[in-house]
């Protein structure tokens, strides 16, 4: 037995409601609603154009709030309309639950507990993806989604596809979303993170019925294609705008420079050579012509070769969008070393031919690689000399003591 009054009072005090989007879940919807009603009567059900007995089932629960429309529009629209309705009713938070019976209302107190300290946070119910009856395609899809979420936000996530979530509506009130179907749940996480809304996780239970009893409206080819397109757009925005924006914001903070100087440059646990090499390597990776993969490659190699990841990350930004034209021009100029009668830029004219394009591409690639190596080596040597003059090398001190 649950203490209904205690939990319902918490929902009331926090201005929170449970939001359940549903589409043709007549077999499980009634039990889901009864389960939630044992904790709170603050329930909003969005009937996303169901064609089964959903409306009749909802008629048996006059105490719940309903949003209904035809035809079916997709989960993203259902959630967005549910958010809007909740705000209109004065709610500041909603906890979303799926109507297919996979989520347990007994986990609602987990989100209420989080709400006491995480006031402007999206909290995701993290599932045990190794449990019995978990579909293999779900595990793969979640790992796929987690990877791209990390690329787009820099956050490591245990579960980005769980629909059991706490949303801080007032923190999201000025956001406008694009997606209308399953991919909305990825968009809302990434763009909320970009806005500065914290993303957190809490462990929950989940029930996956045997395959023959399972009902899913997920269309593997169409929905996975939409998710792939969304990730392509988000990655492009992240690398061309979000990451440069965040980097410049970082540089404008005095405490960032203090942290970089004391925690990384003056870190006594690393030698002068390691620090200089990390900075030089960051510059090298910022120039090398593997656009779109520079940061990921740089961080992977920094971990592999045990370099200072913070310094590599910072100096890899030498190729931020405002600097890209200068890096490309310098690469073309350097490439003239390897190409006889090389130009400074690709000539755009009516006489443009495939041979000219090949020559200029070769000139750019060889020039960029040469510039990356030269700049990386020179920066490494320069920083090493500076550190040798102004900082005691802990590695050398240990050798002297031995």
């Amino acid at each position: 037995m649950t203490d209904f009054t205690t939990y319902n009072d918490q929902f009331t005090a926090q201005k929170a409601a449970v939001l359940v989007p549903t589409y043709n879940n007549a077999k499980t919807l009634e039990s889901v609603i009864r389960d939630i009603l044992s904790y709170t009567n603050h329930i909003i059900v969005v009937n996303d154009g169901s064609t089964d007995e959903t409306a009749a089932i909802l008629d048996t629960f006059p105490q719940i709030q309903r949003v209904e429309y035809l035809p079916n529009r997709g989960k993203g629209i259902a959630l967005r309309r549910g958010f809007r309705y909740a705000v209109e009713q004065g709610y500041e938070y909603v906890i979303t639950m799926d109507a297919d019976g996979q989520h347990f209302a007994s986990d609602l107190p987990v989100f209420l507990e989080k709400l006491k300290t995480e006031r402007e946070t999206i909290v995701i119910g993290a599932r045990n993806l190794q449990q019995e009856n978990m579909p293999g395609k779900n595990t793969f899809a979640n790992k796929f989604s987690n990877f791209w979420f990390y690329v787009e936000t820099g956050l490591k996530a245990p579960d980005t596809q769980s629909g059991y979530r706490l949303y801080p509506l007032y923190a999201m009130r000025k956001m406008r979303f694009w997606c209308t179907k399953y991919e909305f749940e990825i968009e809302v996480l990434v763009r909320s993170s970009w806005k500065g809304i914290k993303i957190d996780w809490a462990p929950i239970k989940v029930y996956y019925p045997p395959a023959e009893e399972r009902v899913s409206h997920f269309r593997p080819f169409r929905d996975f294609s939409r998710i792939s397109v969304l990730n392509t757009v988000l990655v492009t925005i992240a690398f061309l705008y979000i990451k440069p924006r965040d980097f410049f914001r970082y540089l404008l903070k005095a405490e960032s420079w203090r942290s970089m100087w004391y925690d990384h440059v003056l870190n006594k646990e690393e030698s002068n050579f390691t620090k200089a090499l990390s900075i030089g390597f960051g510059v090298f990776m910022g120039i090398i012509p593997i656009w779109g993969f520079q940061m990921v490659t740089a961080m992977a190699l920094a971990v592999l070769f045990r370099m200072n990841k913070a310094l590599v990350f910072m100096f890899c930004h030498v190729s931020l969008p405002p600097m890209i034209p200068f890096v490309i021009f310098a690469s073309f100029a350097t490439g003239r070393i390897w190409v006889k009668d090389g130009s400074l830029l690709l000539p755009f004219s009516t006489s443009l031919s495939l041979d000219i394009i090949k020559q200029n591409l070769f000139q750019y690639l060889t020039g960029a690689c040469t510039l990356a190596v030269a700049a990386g080596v020179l920066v490494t040597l320069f920083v090493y000399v500076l550190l040798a003059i102004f900082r005691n090398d802990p590695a050398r001190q240990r050798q002297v003591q031995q």
Side-chain angles (χ1 to χ4, degrees):
M1 295 292 293
T2 62
D3 188 345
F4 170 83
T5 302
T6 298
Y7 289 123
N8 192 60
D9 287 347
Q10 290 184 41
F11 273 93
T12 302
Q14 300 288 2
K15 297 183 179 180
V18 179
L19 174 63
V20 182
T22 184
Y23 172 62
N24 288 351
N25 295 117
K27 291 182 178 180
T28 55
L29 181 60
E30 181 177 355
S31 62
V32 169
I33 294 176
R34 292 192 184 283
D35 199 16
I36 298 171
L37 284 172
S38 63
Y39 287 85
T40 182
N41 55 19
H42 293 282
I43 306 176
I44 303 170
V45 177
V46 181
N47 182 2
D48 182 25
S50 297
T51 56
D52 59 3
E53 298 78 26
T54 292
I57 292 172
L58 295 180
D59 288 340
T60 65
F61 295 100
Q63 67 270 51
I64 68 174
Q65 302 172 74
R66 298 162 63 170
V67 178
E68 298 180 277
Y69 50 84
L70 289 170
N72 170 255
R73 296 292 306 278
K75 190 175 184 181
I77 291 293
L79 288 171
R80 288 161 58 178
R81 292 190 178 182
F83 291 170
R84 184 172 60 197
Y85 177 85
V87 170
E88 291 171 353
Q89 303 309 307
Y91 292 110
E92 296 184 358
Y93 300 90
V94 292
I95 300 173
T96 60
M97 287 181 63
D98 292 342
D100 56 8
Q102 294 181 6
H103 299 152
F104 293 90
S106 57
D107 283 318
L108 287 172
V110 173
F111 293 93
L112 290 174
E113 190 65 27
K114 278 282 188 179
L115 191 51
K116 294 178 180 179
T117 55
E118 307 286 352
R119 304 294 296 175
E120 296 188 7
T121 302
I122 294 177
V123 180
I124 304 171
R127 302 163 294 175
N128 177 7
L129 298 177
Q130 308 302 321
Q131 73 178 56
E132 184 180 4
N133 289 333
M134 170 64 73
K137 64 181 181 181
N138 287 38
T139 302
F140 168 79
N142 198 58
K143 290 181 179 179
F144 179 85
S145 179
N146 293 351
F147 169 77
W148 286 112
F149 181 73
Y150 174 71
V151 172
E152 292 151 3
T153 66
L155 300 175
K156 292 186 177 181
D159 190 352
T160 53
Q161 293 199 313
S162 170
Y164 207 165
R165 303 178 177 186
L166 166 68
Y167 287 103
L169 297 180
Y170 75 95
M172 301 162 54
R173 62 189 180 278
K174 294 183 179 180
M175 299 181 68
R176 297 293 180 268
F177 299 100
W178 316 316
C179 298
T180 62
K181 300 190 183 298
Y182 283 99
E183 69 276 10
F184 169 79
E185 291 185 301
I186 298 173
E187 179 198 3
V188 68
L189 292 185
V190 174
R191 294 186 59 202
S192 294
S193 175
W194 290 351
K195 183 179 172 62
I197 297 173
K198 183 180 176 182
I199 312 294
D200 200 1
W201 287 264
I204 61 165
K205 302 180 292 295
V206 64
Y207 169 68
Y208 275 98
E212 62 274 10
E213 300 177 15
R214 197 172 299 142
V215 177
S216 175
H217 302 298
F218 186 84
R219 300 159 300 178
F221 178 77
R222 294 181 62 180
D223 289 319
F224 192 76
S225 297
R226 294 171 68 95
I227 291 171
S228 297
V229 171
L230 173 64
N231 278 318
T232 300
V233 173
L234 293 176
V235 167
T236 301
I237 295 174
F239 279 95
L240 294 183
Y241 173 67
I242 299 298
K243 292 185 182 296
R245 179 204 68 181
D246 293 344
F247 181 68
F248 281 119
R249 287 179 177 176
Y250 176 85
L251 292 181
L252 292 175
K253 297 179 181 178
E255 59 268 25
S256 299
W257 289 96
R258 286 194 294 269
S259 174
M260 182 63 65
W261 179 253
Y262 288 106
D263 297 342
H264 300 287
V265 176
L266 297 183
N267 187 335
K268 296 181 180 180
E269 300 302 318
E270 293 176 332
S271 67
N272 291 344
F273 177 74
T274 298
K275 294 182 181 300
L277 182 63
S278 299
I279 293 173
F281 179 71
V283 172
F284 167 82
M285 288 304 306
I287 299 174
I288 204 73
I290 52 172
W291 303 104
F293 298 93
Q294 291 166 312
M295 191 65 65
V296 173
T297 306
M299 297 311 296
L301 292 175
V303 171
L304 179 63
F305 294 106
R306 298 182 180 180
M307 287 183 272
N308 187 307
K309 294 183 288 296
L311 294 177
V312 171
F313 176 81
M314 181 173 184
F315 285 90
C316 191
H317 283 82
V318 69
S319 61
L320 282 171
M323 294 296 296
I324 287 177
F326 299 100
V327 172
I328 293 176
F329 180 82
S331 298
F332 265 99
T334 305
R336 298 179 73 183
I337 298 173
W338 308 105
V339 178
K340 184 179 180 180
D341 300 326
S343 61
L344 286 178
L345 286 175
L346 179 65
F348 290 96
S349 68
T350 57
S351 61
L352 189 65
S353 66
L354 182 60
D355 289 337
I356 293 177
I357 294 176
K358 288 181 178 179
Q359 175 180 314
N360 280 272
L361 181 61
F362 177 78
Q363 178 181 331
Y364 164 69
L365 293 176
T366 55
C369 292
T370 303
L371 179 65
V373 172
V377 170
L378 289 175
V379 169
T380 299
L381 293 175
F382 178 73
V383 172
Y384 181 80
V385 170
L386 286 181
L387 291 175
I389 295 173
F390 296 105
R391 174 179 178 269
N392 293 326
D393 191 330
R396 180 177 298 178
Q397 290 179 344
R398 286 195 293 268
Q399 290 177 355
V400 171
Q401 292 173 357
Q402 292 174 356

